[in-house]
Amino acid sequence: MSISEQVKELRELADGKIHYCEWKKSEILKQAADTIEALSAKLQAANMEKDQRLDDGWVYCDEWLPSMVEYMELEPTPHMKRIEVAYMTDSVEYLIGFYDGSKWMDKHHNIIKNVIAWKPFVKLPDKRHEP
């Protein structure tokens, strides 16, 4: 059951729109508690990940790699998100690349070696369409 369906059922139960026997009410409340705990754990993990970011948004790769929601866009069609990448050559260089969960790539899908940090790519708004 989705979270929105679960919330709807809880609201209907609270408003007296649906009537269940006590054991069914107990099961619904246990499922809701489990969902709240799971969401709380995800929120806490997201906050911990946020704390690992540097002030300017850069994250060191040896501390944390992008999670799937940070490197994949699933709607409307699945594709990899652009990510700013810092990598070492004889100096630190920067480019916009991609991460597929195991390797870093440039826009031509060539592997980028020695990546040391990354941050989500922020696309500037397109002002040409504003009135």
Side-chain angles (χ1 to χ4, degrees), residues 2 5 22 33 47 61 71 78-79 104 108 115 122 126:
S2 73
E5 291 171 332
E22 289 303 313
N47 286 336
C61 292
Y71 70 81
H79 64 276
W104 298 94
H108 302 292
V115 174
V122 179
D126 187 1

Side-chain angles (χ1 to χ4, degrees), residues 47-80:
N47 286 336
M48 287 175 60
E49 289 175 353
K50 182 180 174 196
D51 291 343
Q52 291 176 333
R53 293 175 185 245
L54 303 175
D55 290 336
D56 58 0
W58 286 99
V59 180
Y60 288 113
C61 292
D62 59 352
E63 293 177 4
W64 174 35
L65 292 172
S67 63
M68 182 178 254
V69 295
E70 292 170 311
Y71 70 81
M72 285 297 294
E73 188 70 48
L74 300 177
E75 296 293 332
T77 57
H79 64 276
M80 289 184 286

Side-chain angles (χ1 to χ4, degrees), residues 1 5-13 18 20 28:
M1 177 182 298
E5 291 171 332
Q6 202 171 15
V7 168
K8 181 182 176 189
E9 186 176 40
L10 285 170
R11 290 185 195 279
E12 289 175 350
L13 184 63
I18 55 175
Y20 290 125
I28 291 170

